[in-house]
Amino acid sequence: MPRIAAVHRIPMRHPGDVSGLAALLDAGTLRAEEIVAILGKTEGNGCVNDFTRAYAVQALSVMLAGRLAATPEAVAARVAMVMSGGTEGGLSPHFLVFAVADTPAPATGALAIGAAFTRDFAPEEIGRAAHVEATAEAVRTAIAQAVLDDVHYVQVKCPLLTSERIAAAEARGATVATHDTYASMGLSRGASALGVALALGEIASIPDAAIGQDTTLFSGVASCSAGVELTRNEIVVLGNSRAWSGNLTIAHAVMQDAIDLPAIHAALRGAGLDPAGGQLPPAEAARLVALLAKAEPSSTGRIRGQRHIMNDDSDINATRHARALVGGVAAAATGRTDLFISGGAEHQGPDGGGPVAVIARRTA
Amino acid sequence: MPRIAAVHRIPMRHPGDVSGLAALLDAGTLRAEEIVAILGKTEGNGCVNDFTRAYAVQALSVMLAGRLAATPEAVAARVAMVMSGGTEGGLSPHFLVFAVADTPAPATGALAIGAAFTRDFAPEEIGRAAHVEATAEAVRTAIAQAVLDDVHYVQVKCPLLTSERIAAAEARGATVATHDTYASMGLSRGASALGVALALGEIASIPDAAIGQDTTLFSGVASCSAGVELTRNEIVVLGNSRAWSGNLTIAHAVMQDAIDLPAIHAALRGAGLDPAGGQLPPAEAARLVALLAKAEPSSTGRIRGQRHIMNDDSDINATRHARALVGGVAAAATGRTDLFISGGAEHQGPDGGGPVAVIARRTA
Amino acid sequence: MPRIAAVHRIPMRHPGDVSGLAALLDAGTLRAEEIVAILGKTEGNGCVNDFTRAYAVQALSVMLAGRLAATPEAVAARVAMVMSGGTEGGLSPHFLVFAVADTPAPATGALAIGAAFTRDFAPEEIGRAAHVEATAEAVRTAIAQAVLDDVHYVQVKCPLLTSERIAAAEARGATVATHDTYASMGLSRGASALGVALALGEIASIPDAAIGQDTTLFSGVASCSAGVELTRNEIVVLGNSRAWSGNLTIAHAVMQDAIDLPAIHAALRGAGLDPAGGQLPPAEAARLVALLAKAEPSSTGRIRGQRHIMNDDSDINATRHARALVGGVAAAATGRTDLFISGGAEHQGPDGGGPVAVIARRTA
Amino acid sequence: MPRIAAVHRIPMRHPGDVSGLAALLDAGTLRAEEIVAILGKTEGNGCVNDFTRAYAVQALSVMLAGRLAATPEAVAARVAMVMSGGTEGGLSPHFLVFAVADTPAPATGALAIGAAFTRDFAPEEIGRAAHVEATAEAVRTAIAQAVLDDVHYVQVKCPLLTSERIAAAEARGATVATHDTYASMGLSRGASALGVALALGEIASIPDAAIGQDTTLFSGVASCSAGVELTRNEIVVLGNSRAWSGNLTIAHAVMQDAIDLPAIHAALRGAGLDPAGGQLPPAEAARLVALLAKAEPSSTGRIRGQRHIMNDDSDINATRHARALVGGVAAAATGRTDLFISGGAEHQGPDGGGPVAVIARRTA
């Protein structure tokens, strides 16, 4: 029987607000058992001390535990929940709930979702070639599981180094990629993104030394976030498959810099939306189900030759500036602000740019 | 003899960096005596404790004093210097230097600049109907002085109430519009904007009670900023005039909300620039001399129905979010980041939106 | 049978960390049924968008629900949970868990805890004289319930106005104290503090117009925080009672300004701790169970004649500066940083100062 | 003829406010020619984009240029001007103006000031052993020049690496200590502090590898700040000398952590001030001319075993928290808030602590 993917975009009134999802479940629009992933854009700072992410995960887990007759921990193990902090500028806090069900409808080709996990990583593997290779293998597994014809977005949740993990590795005589736990987040995201790139043939092979260093190596579809709560990579792959049914489709493009409106237009057009005069007219905007993009300040300190101040601002973190900026560019293209713009884009698109994916309904 | 206006856009490496303007003066590209106004976008927070504005004015005044054989104070009295703090997102710090000279060339019609001042205001007049009316009169004077055929941008620098000024008024038995000195900035900007609207026939008359309250009353061309250093309004009016010569032209439109890309497109087209596919191609972007827009979070807490978090963020001031957002939308349209986006938009465009003006070169 | 109060100070590793309390329950050191109140110092910004408070309450409620075989909502109704955001400077995130039990030990006199609630308030009562009077009545009830001989700290959790509540009142033809929902928090805290002052005879009667205005009226023991989740006042009173048993005692003093070290010393000495040379020596610091103080920037912009910049800083909220400052002064006195310093001190101590209470163990 | 040192503490209303110093010069209280150093505490963020420091230096230079009939550049070369950004918590913006004059009074022993410069450093020397050794030599020169009997405070202004300087060194085949220009500031401050320690015999010799790494090596009197505008170290040494005259004296102590009130008391007592009950009484506080201390968050994330959140806060820079905290502790001790608390304490006191120096008048 063909599968069908559903994507529900649900506004949040605050990071602990799960009432919108509860209402969908109550109404029978969605069954809890069908949920495979939840991506959330919460209104914290998106940096080290952003607790809105864990708060949202806790609220979702407690609510879904009641629906699934499971413990909150079991829910978290079953549903991939990736919270991206930071709704700077005009961005609007919301959840994207991904669900998969079997359907008696014919397989006409549609958005398809695959998921897979790597093995647990030893601390000394994180942010290194072993991390890249295991990620690539899991991405291939997820693609096969979903029978994808093409791949447009790969969400990776990956681990980081903690003081305890570093100590455990060193007690065994192993060395780790970095002693700076914050830096380990970037290395883990970078290795994960390169794993995606390797699986998709975007790059050939990756020496350890390139991870976190060579910004010319990147994936055009990876979106990675690091979390302390796991020791493996959790992977959700989105693409189109002739073996699936439904009214949704996905496309993507790569922004070459933070103000690359034409790339966003290309992704919109790829998903069948027409931003004719520059911004989607309301009827087209209503068919836009999700826009997912990465934002990062260019390391050169410049955008098309003009200086930006993101990297020198000690009051507002650079990634916050970048999300506000890319959010503005994407809102200009779409006429919407409930967009999934996330930061931390090591090896995810070129320096200062990043991937942008669009999920759309084919018809109103 | 016809007049000709010049506009020089000069990047700043830091708020005290006047080397770019000094180089133009050294090269003879510009004569110090011709400078009538300098608008600067500095990289402070744009709020109460933004000292980058005063620092830039001091640096400009000291440098120009040497060129004009005048004291820094005399320079500040002669040249209208308006610094707008805040280059959030991708915005790039820069000066816009406006100069006027006589020219032997024929009056073919071009960008024209007028300036005027009101009388000094008594503290009890600030933010009230008398403030509105005197502003309107000065705007009419400036329009006449420049022989404008149309008006596309009116920059107003206006006073605010201080504890001393309030005390002086009350010692005379007068009452002031507010005892809150920070709130007086908004009332002064609002009264100034309504004065512009009155002069241009955008509104008919303004009761005291409407100032700062009735957001349906606004000017589509006013851009106002309040400063403690003056007690009158200083006004610079930009428009087109058949009596002037030169290669520059100006147009404007009104953004209905913060993501109104079509309005920016309209302003660009009005000035002869074609954002065909959505973003100005490089050759057209090179002809864009200045884009000046106002940014404000909507007071409703929503943009096209979706919640924004600008008004509830105690870490980043709401106007900083708004500038980053509108800067992103304008960069999407223009492919440039050296744009003059300023905050504090009381009665300057509709709630959550604002005026956008474009100055362009007619030919490369 | 006499009652005995226990106070457990439990460090938090993050706002959702309830492992410390769970461990105490697991060890049998504390029984969940005995918990009457939890005061938490969480590491958010302590301002509008501080979600660490709700996150901590949710985490506590879910954990305690399991221990009490109750719903999380029932736990929240039974245990007064007051989270104060903001651990600026050196302050350390922690919970203070207050428990009450019967004891066969003789009533030798000790720390005693009382609790009471007001009726639900109509929106038009919030921040007004009716609010003050009902609070005073509940404070008297709580004092009687705990048989207090003296009162040293009164924690009040109070409601605020929301747009919905204002609309409901106005639909009935009633008027509310303010249309600004943020301002309603200050009025509610202020009315609550004045209610405490009225109950304790610190003031005589309060005209509506004095609430939020007349800073010379205040309580020297009130600590109030406003929350959207309730429509009544919840009151916890701490004092000493000859009818109670135990090894704890409480005292308080009133800081006249933010750097009033002698007042903190007075409170320490009142509770039997000797800061002889200025700072409690380690053995005395170990007997300090809790220090609870209010912090606010002086509205004059000065401390002992010198300018402070708290009220003019648009990057860091004034209350964040104030907590860091008072936290430093209190840490100087105590040699500890796990102190309960909270902001928002309307009518809670004099302008720029505030109450400080100390709970200590009588012997090591 | 003996020399006499004067120290003027002058409040600032904003970073460009030099009116207080101008008034002293106008009144003849101070002669511009006698000024040897100005230390300023300005109200910026004290981090990368703090332009209040350069603004204050520009304002001082322009004003003093008029008094000294010199260019602003010549003034900056003659007077050591060190601005420390950040007046968090209750700290009050102010200048400390140090002046030296000959006096016919007998040499009774008093505060003495010495100054010296190193040679210009090659980029490859910055932050390395050569930097340490040259600093030590200059400190010895300054001590000899002032005929100091003891040393209590050494202010060092030191250079940093820029991209240009790095490129110049590498073009010659030299290697630099770091390619990270921000990190070079810490290395330069650290090497400078170790140079002070070497000169004073606090340490024996410093291997390159210890700079910026071994926090057990430090000076108890050094206070270092890095600036882009110089390529040498500028050194001001404060101590007492029997060869000088006057009513001022200086002492110091080393805070072992950020809440080390006893160390501040020791420094106060060393300078003849008695904080008997914990805080200087008003008459003693009036004799306190300056308190200069370093503030840094402990790298362990703890203060006396309790967690602090300074290093994990992405909204407020860690050094801002630390200044607020140490400012609170020092205000507790002194009853004053016009204190010179600065951040960036590499090798300046132990990890999480720092030197504290006190200048006092011997009699009222």
Side-chain angles (χ1 to χ4, degrees):
Chain A
M1 198 181 283
R3 284 173 283 175
I4 183 166
V7 182
H8 299 271
R9 181 176 43 206
I10 303 171
M12 268 188 275
R13 289 174 301 176
H14 57 78
D17 176 27
V18 296
S19 62
L21 177 53
L24 286 185
L25 295 170
D26 289 341
T29 310
L30 174 67
R31 294 181 56 239
E33 292 74 10
E34 298 168 357
I35 300 173
V36 295
I38 302 178
L39 271 58
K41 197 77 234 144
T42 62
E43 59 200 277
N45 64 26
C47 302
V48 177
N49 63 329
D50 181 351
F51 301 105
T52 63
R53 298 172 296 207
Y55 179 24
V57 168
Q58 178 179 276
L60 285 168
S61 299
V62 168
M63 190 272 283
L64 288 174
R67 310 290 176 140
L68 291 165
T71 63
E73 293 69 30
V75 172
R78 172 193 181 130
V79 178
M81 291 188 275
V82 181
M83 300 297 133
S84 164
T87 55
E88 295 83 2
L91 293 172
S92 191
H94 68 287
F95 291 121
L96 294 171
V97 179
F98 294 84
V100 173
D102 290 332
T103 178
T108 52
L111 172 71
I113 302 174
F117 309 102
T118 64
R119 60 178 164 80
D120 287 328
F121 293 118
E124 59 268 33
E125 293 179 311
I126 293 175
R128 286 183 166 155
H131 192 168
V132 174
E133 281 149 27
T135 302
E137 191 181 313
V139 170
R140 287 184 208 107
T141 301
I143 291 172
Q145 184 235 328
V147 202
L148 294 187
D149 299 317
D150 52 24
V151 177
H152 294 286
Y153 187 77
V154 182
Q155 180 74 47
V156 183
K157 197 169 173 184
C158 53
L160 51 88
L161 288 172
T162 62
S163 302
E164 292 74 24
R165 291 172 189 173
I166 294 171
E170 298 189 337
R172 289 194 316 273
T175 62
V176 293
T178 177
H179 277 80
D180 177 341
T181 57
Y182 184 68
S184 80
M185 300 175 72
L187 289 176
S188 181
R189 285 191 299 259
S192 299
L194 291 171
V196 175
L198 187 62
L200 299 180
E202 296 175 291
I203 56 172
S205 71
I206 306 95
D208 266 13
I211 301 172
Q213 296 296 328
D214 185 348
T215 60
T216 66
L217 302 177
F218 59 83
S219 169
V221 297
S223 180
C224 307
S225 75
V228 73
E229 68 277 20
L230 72 176
T231 53
R232 62 181 182 180
N233 273 18
E234 300 181 3
I235 289 153
V236 175
V237 177
L238 303 182
N240 297 299
S241 170
R242 282 163 293 181
W244 288 53
S245 184
N247 194 24
L248 298 177
T249 188
I250 184 169
H252 86 280
V254 178
M255 297 175 74
Q256 297 303 311
D257 61 20
I259 63 174
D260 189 356
L261 183 73
I264 300 178
H265 281 172
L268 292 169
R269 288 200 180 92
L273 298 172
D274 185 6
Q279 183 172 93
L280 294 179
E284 296 284 282
R287 291 203 292 120
L288 174 66
V289 174
L291 181 147
L292 307 106
K294 273 285 177 179
E296 271 288 305
S298 64
S299 65
T300 61
R302 298 194 169 256
I303 299 173
R304 302 191 190 179
Q306 300 301 321
R307 183 169 74 97
H308 65 73
I309 56 84
M310 298 189 249
N311 296 326
D312 292 329
D313 190 341
S314 304
D315 296 313
I316 300 179
N317 190 286
T319 61
R320 308 200 73 179
H321 281 290
R323 277 188 297 266
L325 169 60
V326 175
V329 176
T334 61
R336 303 192 67 112
T337 55
D338 46 0
L339 308 168
F340 191 86
I341 313 289
S342 71
E346 298 85 353
H347 299 299
Q348 298 150 68
D351 183 38
V356 54
V358 168
I359 302 173
R361 254 185 293 281
R362 288 212 188 83
T363 57
Chain B
M1 198 182 284
R3 283 173 285 177
I4 184 167
V7 183
H8 299 272
R9 180 176 45 205
I10 304 171
M12 268 188 275
R13 287 175 302 176
H14 57 76
D17 176 26
V18 296
S19 63
L21 178 53
L24 286 185
L25 295 171
D26 288 342
T29 309
L30 174 67
R31 293 180 56 239
E33 292 75 11
E34 298 168 357
I35 300 173
V36 295
I38 303 177
L39 271 59
K41 198 75 235 141
T42 62
E43 59 200 277
N45 64 26
C47 303
V48 177
N49 63 329
D50 181 352
F51 302 104
T52 63
R53 298 172 297 208
Y55 179 25
V57 167
Q58 178 178 276
L60 285 167
S61 300
V62 168
M63 190 272 284
L64 288 174
R67 310 289 175 140
L68 291 166
T71 63
E73 293 71 29
V75 172
R78 172 194 181 129
V79 179
M81 290 188 276
V82 181
M83 300 297 132
S84 164
T87 55
E88 295 83 2
L91 293 172
S92 191
H94 68 287
F95 292 122
L96 294 171
V97 180
F98 294 83
V100 173
D102 291 333
T103 179
T108 53
L111 172 72
I113 303 174
F117 308 102
T118 64
R119 61 179 164 80
D120 287 328
F121 293 118
E124 59 267 34
E125 293 179 312
I126 293 176
R128 285 181 167 157
H131 193 168
V132 175
E133 281 148 26
T135 303
E137 192 182 312
V139 170
R140 287 184 207 107
T141 301
I143 291 172
Q145 184 235 329
V147 202
L148 294 188
D149 298 318
D150 51 25
V151 177
H152 293 287
Y153 187 78
V154 182
Q155 180 74 48
V156 183
K157 197 169 172 185
C158 54
L160 51 88
L161 289 171
T162 62
S163 303
E164 292 74 23
R165 291 172 189 173
I166 294 171
E170 298 189 337
R172 289 195 317 273
T175 62
V176 293
T178 176
H179 276 82
D180 178 341
T181 57
Y182 183 69
S184 79
M185 300 175 71
L187 289 176
S188 181
R189 286 192 298 257
S192 299
L194 291 171
V196 176
L198 187 61
L200 300 179
E202 296 176 291
I203 57 172
S205 70
I206 304 95
D208 266 13
I211 302 171
Q213 295 296 330
D214 185 347
T215 60
T216 67
L217 302 177
F218 60 83
S219 168
V221 297
S223 179
C224 307
S225 75
V228 73
E229 68 277 20
L230 73 176
T231 53
R232 63 181 182 180
N233 273 16
E234 300 181 2
I235 289 153
V236 175
V237 177
L238 303 182
N240 297 300
S241 170
R242 281 163 293 183
W244 288 53
S245 183
N247 193 25
L248 298 177
T249 187
I250 185 169
H252 86 280
V254 177
M255 297 175 74
Q256 297 303 311
D257 61 20
I259 63 174
D260 190 355
L261 183 74
I264 301 178
H265 282 171
L268 291 169
R269 289 201 180 91
L273 299 173
D274 184 7
Q279 183 173 93
L280 295 179
E284 296 283 282
R287 292 203 292 121
L288 174 66
V289 174
L291 181 146
L292 306 105
K294 273 286 177 178
E296 273 288 304
S298 64
S299 64
T300 60
R302 298 195 169 257
I303 298 174
R304 301 192 189 178
Q306 299 301 321
R307 182 168 75 97
H308 65 73
I309 55 83
M310 298 190 249
N311 296 326
D312 292 329
D313 190 341
S314 304
D315 296 314
I316 300 179
N317 191 287
T319 61
R320 308 200 73 179
H321 281 290
R323 278 188 296 267
L325 169 59
V326 174
V329 176
T334 62
R336 302 193 67 111
T337 55
D338 46 359
L339 308 168
F340 191 86
I341 314 288
S342 71
E346 299 86 354
H347 298 299
Q348 297 150 68
D351 183 38
V356 54
V358 168
I359 302 174
R361 253 185 294 279
R362 287 211 190 85
T363 57
Chain C
M1 199 183 283
R3 283 173 283 176
I4 183 166
V7 183
H8 299 271
R9 181 176 45 205
I10 304 172
M12 270 188 273
R13 287 174 303 177
H14 57 77
D17 175 26
V18 297
S19 62
L21 178 53
L24 286 186
L25 296 171
D26 288 343
T29 309
L30 174 68
R31 293 181 56 238
E33 292 76 9
E34 298 168 355
I35 300 174
V36 294
I38 303 177
L39 271 59
K41 199 73 238 146
T42 62
E43 59 200 278
N45 63 27
C47 303
V48 177
N49 64 328
D50 181 352
F51 302 104
T52 62
R53 296 172 297 208
Y55 180 23
V57 167
Q58 180 177 276
L60 285 168
S61 300
V62 168
M63 189 273 283
L64 288 175
R67 309 289 175 140
L68 291 166
T71 63
E73 293 70 30
V75 171
R78 169 193 184 128
V79 178
M81 290 188 275
V82 182
M83 300 297 134
S84 164
T87 55
E88 295 83 2
L91 293 172
S92 190
H94 68 286
F95 292 122
L96 293 172
V97 180
F98 294 83
V100 173
D102 290 333
T103 179
T108 51
L111 172 72
I113 303 175
F117 308 103
T118 65
R119 60 178 164 79
D120 287 329
F121 293 118
E124 59 268 32
E125 293 180 312
I126 293 175
R128 285 179 168 160
H131 193 168
V132 174
E133 281 149 26
T135 303
E137 191 181 313
V139 170
R140 286 185 209 107
T141 301
I143 291 172
Q145 184 235 328
V147 201
L148 295 187
D149 298 317
D150 52 24
V151 177
H152 293 287
Y153 187 78
V154 183
Q155 181 73 49
V156 184
K157 197 168 171 185
C158 54
L160 51 87
L161 289 171
T162 63
S163 303
E164 293 74 23
R165 292 172 188 173
I166 294 170
E170 298 189 337
R172 290 195 315 273
T175 62
V176 293
T178 177
H179 277 81
D180 178 339
T181 57
Y182 184 68
S184 79
M185 299 175 72
L187 289 176
S188 182
R189 285 191 299 258
S192 299
L194 291 171
V196 176
L198 187 60
L200 300 180
E202 296 175 292
I203 57 171
S205 71
I206 305 95
D208 265 13
I211 301 172
Q213 296 297 328
D214 184 347
T215 59
T216 66
L217 302 177
F218 59 83
S219 169
V221 297
S223 179
C224 307
S225 76
V228 74
E229 68 277 21
L230 71 177
T231 54
R232 62 180 181 179
N233 273 16
E234 300 181 3
I235 288 153
V236 176
V237 177
L238 303 182
N240 297 300
S241 170
R242 280 163 296 183
W244 289 52
S245 182
N247 193 25
L248 299 177
T249 189
I250 185 169
H252 86 280
V254 178
M255 296 175 75
Q256 297 303 313
D257 61 21
I259 63 174
D260 190 356
L261 182 74
I264 300 178
H265 281 171
L268 291 170
R269 289 202 180 91
L273 298 173
D274 184 7
Q279 183 172 92
L280 294 179
E284 296 283 280
R287 291 203 291 121
L288 175 67
V289 174
L291 181 148
L292 307 106
K294 273 286 176 177
E296 273 288 304
S298 64
S299 64
T300 61
R302 298 197 168 254
I303 298 174
R304 303 191 188 177
Q306 299 301 321
R307 183 168 75 96
H308 65 73
I309 56 83
M310 298 190 249
N311 295 326
D312 292 329
D313 190 340
S314 304
D315 296 313
I316 301 179
N317 190 287
T319 60
R320 307 200 72 179
H321 281 289
R323 277 188 295 266
L325 169 59
V326 175
V329 176
T334 61
R336 302 192 68 111
T337 55
D338 45 0
L339 308 169
F340 191 85
I341 313 288
S342 72
E346 299 84 356
H347 298 299
Q348 297 150 69
D351 183 37
V356 53
V358 167
I359 302 174
R361 252 185 294 281
R362 287 211 189 87
T363 57
Chain D
M1 198 182 284
R3 284 172 284 175
I4 183 166
V7 182
H8 299 270
R9 181 176 45 205
I10 304 172
M12 271 187 273
R13 287 175 302 176
H14 58 77
D17 175 27
V18 296
S19 62
L21 178 53
L24 287 185
L25 296 171
D26 288 343
T29 309
L30 174 68
R31 294 180 56 236
E33 291 76 10
E34 297 168 357
I35 300 174
V36 295
I38 303 178
L39 271 59
K41 198 75 237 152
T42 62
E43 59 199 276
N45 63 27
C47 303
V48 177
N49 63 329
D50 181 351
F51 302 105
T52 62
R53 297 171 296 207
Y55 179 23
V57 167
Q58 179 178 276
L60 285 168
S61 300
V62 168
M63 189 273 283
L64 289 175
R67 309 289 176 140
L68 290 166
T71 63
E73 292 71 29
V75 171
R78 170 194 182 129
V79 178
M81 290 189 276
V82 181
M83 300 296 133
S84 164
T87 55
E88 295 82 3
L91 293 172
S92 190
H94 68 286
F95 292 122
L96 294 171
V97 180
F98 294 84
V100 173
D102 290 332
T103 177
T108 52
L111 173 72
I113 304 175
F117 308 104
T118 64
R119 61 179 164 78
D120 286 329
F121 293 118
E124 59 268 32
E125 293 179 311
I126 293 176
R128 286 181 167 159
H131 192 167
V132 174
E133 281 150 26
T135 302
E137 191 182 313
V139 170
R140 287 185 208 107
T141 301
I143 291 171
Q145 184 236 327
V147 201
L148 294 186
D149 299 317
D150 51 25
V151 177
H152 293 287
Y153 188 78
V154 182
Q155 181 74 48
V156 183
K157 197 167 170 185
C158 54
L160 51 87
L161 289 171
T162 63
S163 303
E164 293 74 22
R165 292 172 189 173
I166 294 170
E170 298 189 336
R172 289 195 316 273
T175 61
V176 294
T178 178
H179 277 82
D180 179 339
T181 57
Y182 184 69
S184 79
M185 300 175 71
L187 288 177
S188 182
R189 285 192 298 258
S192 299
L194 291 172
V196 175
L198 187 60
L200 299 179
E202 297 175 292
I203 56 171
S205 70
I206 306 94
D208 266 12
I211 301 172
Q213 296 296 328
D214 185 347
T215 60
T216 66
L217 302 178
F218 59 83
S219 168
V221 298
S223 179
C224 307
S225 75
V228 73
E229 69 276 21
L230 72 178
T231 53
R232 62 180 182 179
N233 273 18
E234 300 181 2
I235 289 154
V236 175
V237 177
L238 303 182
N240 297 300
S241 170
R242 280 163 293 182
W244 288 53
S245 182
N247 193 24
L248 299 177
T249 188
I250 185 168
H252 86 280
V254 178
M255 297 175 74
Q256 297 303 313
D257 61 21
I259 63 173
D260 190 356
L261 182 74
I264 301 178
H265 281 171
L268 291 170
R269 289 202 180 92
L273 298 172
D274 184 7
Q279 184 173 91
L280 294 179
E284 297 283 281
R287 292 202 292 121
L288 175 67
V289 174
L291 180 148
L292 306 107
K294 274 286 176 177
E296 272 289 306
S298 64
S299 64
T300 60
R302 300 196 167 253
I303 298 174
R304 302 191 189 177
Q306 299 300 322
R307 183 168 74 97
H308 65 72
I309 56 82
M310 299 190 249
N311 295 327
D312 291 329
D313 190 340
S314 303
D315 296 313
I316 301 180
N317 190 287
T319 61
R320 307 200 73 179
H321 281 290
R323 277 188 297 265
L325 170 58
V326 175
V329 176
T334 61
R336 302 192 67 111
T337 55
D338 46 1
L339 308 169
F340 191 86
I341 313 288
S342 72
E346 299 84 355
H347 298 299
Q348 297 150 69
D351 182 38
V356 54
V358 167
I359 302 174
R361 253 185 294 280
R362 287 213 188 84
T363 57

